[in-house]
C-alpha cells in the first residue's frame, strides 16, 4: 500500500518486514523499500541513514516486542515453560524481526536502543531458568538454546516431517526437558 500521510518511519519499517519475509534480511535495499512504501528514494535515507540504520531500528523494535511478550507471559503465568513458548510464538509470528535480531552483522549491535532492549529481553527470558538446577549461567543458556534452536529449526524447515506439527505444544515439551516436569 503506497504511503500517503502519517508515520513515514512506520511505513518504511513495515515495508522492510514484508521484504525480509519474502527475500531475507541480507537482500533488502532502501530503494526497494521506498518503492514498496510509495515514497521517494531519499525518504528511507532521511529517517534511517542507511540500510544498517534501518535494520538497527528493526532489531530494536523486535527486541522490544519480544520483551513485552515475555513480560506479559511472566505477569500472567509466572511459568518458565510458558516463557519458552512465548519465545517460539514470537519467532514464528515475527519472522522478519527474529531474522534481523539474531544477525548482528546486519545492524549496529552497539546501538543504545538495541543494547537496552536486548538486556531487558534476556533478563525476562532467563529469569525463570535460574530456578533450574545446574551450574550458574548454564541453565539460562541451555533454556535459551533449546527454544531458539527449536524456533530456528521450525522456521528453516529443517525438522523432519511430522516431528513437530504443533509448534507451541512442541515448545512446551522441549522447555519441560530442563524442568523435568
Amino acid at each position: 500500500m503506497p504511503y500517503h500521510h502519517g508515520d513515514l518511519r512506520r511505513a518504511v519499517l513495515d515495508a522492510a518486514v514484508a521484504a525480509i519475509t519474502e527475500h531475507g534480511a541480507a537482500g533488502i535495499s532502501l530503494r526497494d523499500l521506498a518503492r514498496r512504501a510509495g515514497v521517494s528514494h531519499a525518504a528511507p535515507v532521511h529517517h534511517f541513514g542507511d540500510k544498517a540504520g534501518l535494520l538497527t531500528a528493526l532489531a530494536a523494535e523486535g527486541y522490544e516486542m519480544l520483551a513485552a511478550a515475555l513480560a506479559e507471559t511472566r505477569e500472567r503465568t509466572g511459568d518458565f515453560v510458558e516463557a519458552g513458548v512465548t519465545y517460539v510464538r514470537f519467532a514464528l509470528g515475527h519472522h522478519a524481526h527474529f531474522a534481523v535480531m539474531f544477525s548482528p552483522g546486519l545492524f549496529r549491535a552497539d546501538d543504545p536502543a538495541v543494547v537496552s532492549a536486548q538486556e531487558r529481553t534476556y533478563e525476562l527470558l532467563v529469569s525463570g531458568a535460574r530456578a533450574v538446577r545446574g551450574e550458574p549461567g548454564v541453565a539460562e543458556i541451555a533454556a535459551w538454546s533449546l527454544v531458539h534452536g527449536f524456533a530456528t529449526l521450525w522456521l528453516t524447515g529443517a525438522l523432519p516431517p511430522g516431528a513437530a506439527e504443533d509448534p507451541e505444544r512442541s515448545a512446551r515439551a522441549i522447555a519441560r526437558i530442563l524442568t523435568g516436569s
Side-chain angles (χ1 to χ4, degrees), residues 65-87:
M65 291 165 54
L66 178 55
L70 290 168
E72 189 278 328
T73 296
R74 182 177 177 176
E75 184 177 310
R76 185 175 42 80
T77 71
D79 186 27
F80 163 69
V81 170
E82 288 306 310
V85 173
T86 296
Y87 187 94

Side-chain angles (χ1 to χ4, degrees), residues 60-180:
E61 179 178 75
Y63 280 113
E64 288 294 342
M65 291 165 54
L66 178 55
L70 290 168
E72 189 278 328
T73 296
R74 182 177 177 176
E75 184 177 310
R76 185 175 42 80
T77 71
D79 186 27
F80 163 69
V81 170
E82 288 306 310
V85 173
T86 296
Y87 187 94
V88 170
R89 186 181 306 121
F90 174 84
L92 301 183
H94 301 281
H95 180 227
H97 285 90
F98 189 76
V100 172
M101 292 161 59
F102 295 101
S103 299
L106 295 177
F107 64 90
R108 295 182 184 96
D110 61 348
D111 180 85
V114 171
V115 171
S116 174
Q118 280 177 323
E119 288 172 353
R120 181 170 173 245
T121 300
Y122 182 76
E123 179 57 33
L124 287 162
L125 181 64
V126 303
S127 61
R130 292 191 181 113
V132 177
R133 289 184 302 215
E135 186 179 329
V138 173
E140 291 94 331
I141 293 170
W144 188 13
S145 297
L146 282 173
V147 295
H148 185 84
F150 174 72
T152 301
L153 290 169
W154 182 279
L155 287 168
T156 60
L159 293 171
E165 293 178 13
D166 178 346
E168 290 190 26
R169 191 176 92 224
S170 296
R172 278 186 191 88
I174 289 166
R176 285 187 183 116
I177 290 171
L178 283 180
T179 63

